[in-house]
Amino acid sequence: MAHQTSQSRSEELVALFTELGPAWGAWTKACTPASSVSYIRMRLLNALHTDGAQTMSQLAHALGVTQRRVTALVDALDDDGLVERRPNPADGRSTVVSLTRGGTALQKLTWDEYRTDISRAFNDLSPEQQEQLIAITPVLTEALRRHTTERPTPR
């Protein structure tokens, strides 16, 4: 009997998160400030602001995108004068990307606006629910990352 309860609970969680994922994605995109370049570019600028200059591989990993996609993003941000590239002093085969002054200013403006706007969704939760979510989310995030890396790569 306990197995059925556990299974039905798991099935309910799958159903709930199947709905949550797209709803969260739509909310985050809807909250992207009009002054921003795009949601993914705003995330790239924030990754550089938060963690400093990074290689293209580090950025691709941080954003969860392919090398090709990060190259296109960096190309566009470089064309707009928001990032700059230079040879990696530790490995001349790679490039290091960093924010320009304009990129830093845009990141600060858009990320603060974004964070304020996006947080409104959590205001619908009680303080206790917010605390529960704060406790559970990192555990679930790490479990998802671990399970993802343990899965065989699809062909």
Side-chain angles (χ1 to χ4, degrees), residues 2-19:
H3 175 71
Q4 289 178 341
T5 303
S6 175
Q7 183 173 350
S8 79
R9 190 171 39 246
S10 292
E11 289 171 359
E12 183 176 2
L13 285 166
V14 168
L16 290 169
F17 273 79
T18 298
E19 293 295 317

Side-chain angles (χ1 to χ4, degrees), residues 27-84:
W27 177 241
T28 60
K29 286 184 176 123
C31 291
T32 300
S35 58
S36 179
V37 282
S38 75
Y39 173 69
I40 189 70
R41 291 181 189 178
M42 182 180 67
R43 284 186 51 219
L44 190 149
L45 293 175
N46 190 62
L48 291 173
H49 173 77
T50 302
D51 297 323
Q54 298 178 54
T55 65
M56 301 286 259
S57 294
Q58 289 170 318
L59 285 170
H61 179 74
L63 299 174
V65 299
T66 63
Q67 285 283 130
R68 178 178 287 157
R69 179 74 173 121
V70 84
T71 298
L73 291 167
V74 169
D75 286 346
L77 291 168
D78 188 22
D79 289 346
D80 291 343
L82 300 173
V83 300
E84 61 187 4

Side-chain angles (χ1 to χ4, degrees), residues 25-154:
W27 177 241
T28 60
K29 286 184 176 123
C31 291
T32 300
S35 58
S36 179
V37 282
S38 75
Y39 173 69
I40 189 70
R41 291 181 189 178
M42 182 180 67
R43 284 186 51 219
L44 190 149
L45 293 175
N46 190 62
L48 291 173
H49 173 77
T50 302
D51 297 323
Q54 298 178 54
T55 65
M56 301 286 259
S57 294
Q58 289 170 318
L59 285 170
H61 179 74
L63 299 174
V65 299
T66 63
Q67 285 283 130
R68 178 178 287 157
R69 179 74 173 121
V70 84
T71 298
L73 291 167
V74 169
D75 286 346
L77 291 168
D78 188 22
D79 289 346
D80 291 343
L82 300 173
V83 300
E84 61 187 4
R85 298 182 235 211
R86 62 184 185 284
N88 185 348
D91 176 2
R93 297 170 296 169
S94 67
T95 301
V96 174
V97 181
S98 59
L99 289 172
T100 62
R101 284 185 191 194
T104 299
L106 182 63
Q107 183 281 331
K108 175 83 172 122
L109 172 75
T110 58
W111 195 258
D112 286 351
E113 184 180 336
Y114 172 76
R115 209 173 36 198
T116 298
D117 203 17
I118 203 131
S119 69
R120 291 182 316 155
F122 300 110
N123 294 338
D124 292 347
L125 302 175
S126 71
E128 294 79 20
Q129 290 170 322
Q130 290 175 8
E131 288 297 327
Q132 290 171 339
L133 196 55
I134 288 167
I136 292 168
T137 302
V139 175
L140 180 59
T141 301
E142 185 54 38
L144 292 171
R145 287 180 178 145
R146 185 180 69 255
H147 289 300
T148 300
T149 59
E150 291 170 355
R151 289 189 64 88
T153 306

